């Protein structure tokens, strides 16, 4: 089921380290508009132990890399690693882990903002659980329109929605290196999303518990413009049939009845396109998700509408 990361050459030697180092991995691609806020938040971490930040540039063509380099004085253990052989967060995260040196691997994204105690809380959680997911707070950085498409989940809960196993978002998760290596990293075959879903499902099916950490907070940034929302949700839907192909034998259900209910809802609420921005955004994202699932079903030769 697991697709191993493609082998790439090492970028110089990796120095051996003693126990206790934590590695924070952040993929980056054309993030100049938002990555500065995330780097500033990481510079304010309260964690007193040893940790490093590896920003993995996945082919930026804007000022992302120069902006990251400017934080070298504020984040003394910052490393910028170029990984543009293949596009995608799975490949970038795997590359960051390959050149990292920590026993604990934490993941965040370029367009969010971690709370000051994020690293400390993640380390505390990984002392108890082999893998963890933190609280994804959505109100600080988003307006009501964006929130309507993706309401915030209660603190202390993992992600769900598939009537199967829970999972953590790649924007706020962590894992012990031994577990990451056992699983072979993130699956780069998931080029359109859901790589973290696959990873944490595989972890649980291998017998590893996933801890939910209410105090490990990341302020999550949603898409603001409707076309960007539609593209994102279409990509999500495109990846779901691959999840079904890979995990149906493990119990992931496929409900055609539930899909039919969703399409009926879309038809009944078609007038929402002429109502408020909030109603229009909800309709468009739900429709984009379903259209993505249809395209993904054809691509993966399964039925997961």
């Amino acid at each position: 089921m697991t697709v191993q990361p493609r082998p790439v050459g090492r970028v110089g030697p990796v120095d051996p380290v003693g126990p206790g180092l934590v590695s924070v991995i952040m993929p980056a691609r054309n993030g100049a508009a938002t990555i500065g806020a995330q780097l500033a938040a990481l510079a304010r971490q309260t964690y007193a132990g040893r940790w490093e930040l590896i920003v993995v540039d996945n082919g930026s063509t804007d000022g992302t890399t120069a902006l990251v380099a400017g934080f070298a004085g504020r984040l003394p253990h910052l490393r910028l690693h170029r990984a543009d052989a293949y596009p995608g967060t799975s490949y970038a995260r795997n590359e960051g882990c390959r050149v990292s040196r920590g026993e604990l691997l934490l993941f965040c994204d370029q367009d969010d903002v971690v709370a000051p105690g994020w690293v400390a809380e993640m380390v505390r959680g990984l002392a108890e659980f082999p893998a963890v997911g933190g609280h994804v707070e959505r109100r600080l950085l988003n307006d009501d329109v964006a929130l309507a498409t993706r309401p915030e989940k209660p603190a202390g809960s993992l992600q769900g929605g598939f009537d199967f196993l829970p999972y953590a978002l790649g924007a706020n998760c962590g894992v012990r290196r031994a577990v990451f290596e056992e699983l072979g990293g993130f699956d780069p075959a998931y080029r359109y999303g859901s790589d973290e879903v696959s990873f944490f499902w595989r972890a649980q099916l291998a017998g590893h518990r996933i801890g939910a950490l209410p105090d490990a907070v990341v302020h999550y940034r949603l898409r603001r413009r409707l076309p960007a929302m539609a593209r994102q949700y279409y990509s999500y839907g495109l990846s779901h049939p691959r999840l079904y192909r890979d995990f149906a034998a493990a119990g992931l259900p496929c409900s055609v009845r539930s899909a039919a209910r969703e399409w009926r809802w879309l038809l009944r609420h078609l007038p929402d396109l002429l109502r408020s921005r909030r109603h229009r955004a909800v309709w468009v994202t739900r429709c984009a998700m379903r259209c993505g699932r249809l395209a993904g079903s054809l691509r993966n030769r399964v039925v997961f509408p």
Side-chain angles (χ1 to χ4, degrees):
M1 181 178 359
T2 303
V3 179
Q4 297 293 337
R6 301 190 186 194
V8 293
R10 275 200 178 278
V11 183
V14 176
D15 297 329
V17 297
L21 183 70
V22 177
S23 296
V24 177
I25 314 296
M26 182 167 66
R29 182 182 174 89
N30 293 336
T34 58
I35 198 171
Q38 180 68 296
L39 291 169
L42 287 162
R44 293 192 294 267
Q45 291 300 295
T46 60
Y47 181 62
R50 300 167 58 241
W51 67 285
E52 64 177 355
L53 170 62
I54 301 173
V55 178
V56 185
D57 179 50
N58 191 221
S60 296
T61 56
D62 62 359
T64 296
T65 56
L67 200 156
V68 172
F71 273 82
R74 298 172 62 181
L75 288 159
H77 300 292
L78 168 65
R79 283 193 283 157
L80 179 62
H81 175 63
R82 183 174 179 179
D84 55 5
Y86 308 99
T89 55
S90 296
Y91 167 72
R93 287 179 182 135
N94 287 343
E95 267 291 277
C97 292
R98 183 182 66 81
V99 300
S100 69
R101 300 172 293 186
E103 294 179 351
L104 304 181
L105 306 172
L106 313 184
F107 301 92
C108 61
D109 284 348
Q110 66 180 9
D111 53 350
D112 303 323
V113 175
V114 298
W118 179 70
V119 172
E121 291 296 329
M122 295 292 276
V123 171
R124 187 174 295 117
L126 286 170
E128 179 180 358
F129 298 97
V132 295
H135 176 47
V136 180
E137 190 282 322
R138 293 175 177 155
R139 295 189 175 275
L140 181 66
L141 302 178
N142 304 292
D143 60 21
D144 290 342
V145 174
L147 284 170
T149 68
R150 203 168 178 183
E152 183 176 337
K153 292 185 177 295
S157 62
L158 294 170
Q159 307 299 309
F162 291 92
D163 294 323
F164 191 52
L165 299 169
Y167 60 94
L169 282 185
N172 188 0
C173 64
V175 63
R176 297 174 189 168
R177 178 179 291 277
V179 175
F180 181 87
E181 293 178 349
E182 175 190 333
L183 297 175
F186 292 93
D187 189 340
Y190 285 87
R191 295 185 58 188
Y192 304 100
S194 297
D195 53 326
E196 70 266 63
V197 184
S198 169
F199 180 86
F200 285 102
W201 284 358
R202 287 188 286 121
Q204 290 168 92
L205 292 171
H208 302 294
R209 295 184 301 157
I210 312 298
L213 309 180
D215 297 321
V217 178
V218 166
H219 304 291
Y220 190 72
R221 195 186 305 270
L222 299 168
R223 303 293 192 272
R224 288 184 175 270
R225 298 177 62 85
L226 192 57
M229 292 181 187
R231 287 192 297 270
Q232 183 181 47
Y233 276 80
Y234 180 84
S235 294
Y236 289 157
L238 196 63
S239 70
H240 293 170
R242 186 177 187 93
L243 286 172
Y244 181 69
R245 191 190 73 179
D246 288 349
F247 293 95
L252 176 62
C254 174
S255 174
V256 175
R257 184 175 300 177
S258 175
R261 284 198 300 269
E262 183 69 0
W263 282 109
R264 285 197 297 269
W265 184 93
L266 288 167
L267 289 173
R268 286 198 310 271
H269 289 265
L270 195 60
D272 285 359
L273 289 172
L274 303 177
R275 298 177 66 187
S276 67
R277 287 181 61 239
R278 179 179 178 276
H279 286 90
R280 187 159 54 249
V282 171
W283 193 94
V284 167
T285 51
R286 290 175 71 163
C287 183
M289 174 85 79
R290 290 295 155 175
C291 290
R293 282 195 175 192
L294 293 178
S297 293
L298 290 173
R299 181 170 298 182
N300 291 278
R301 300 182 180 180
V302 297
V303 177
F304 195 74

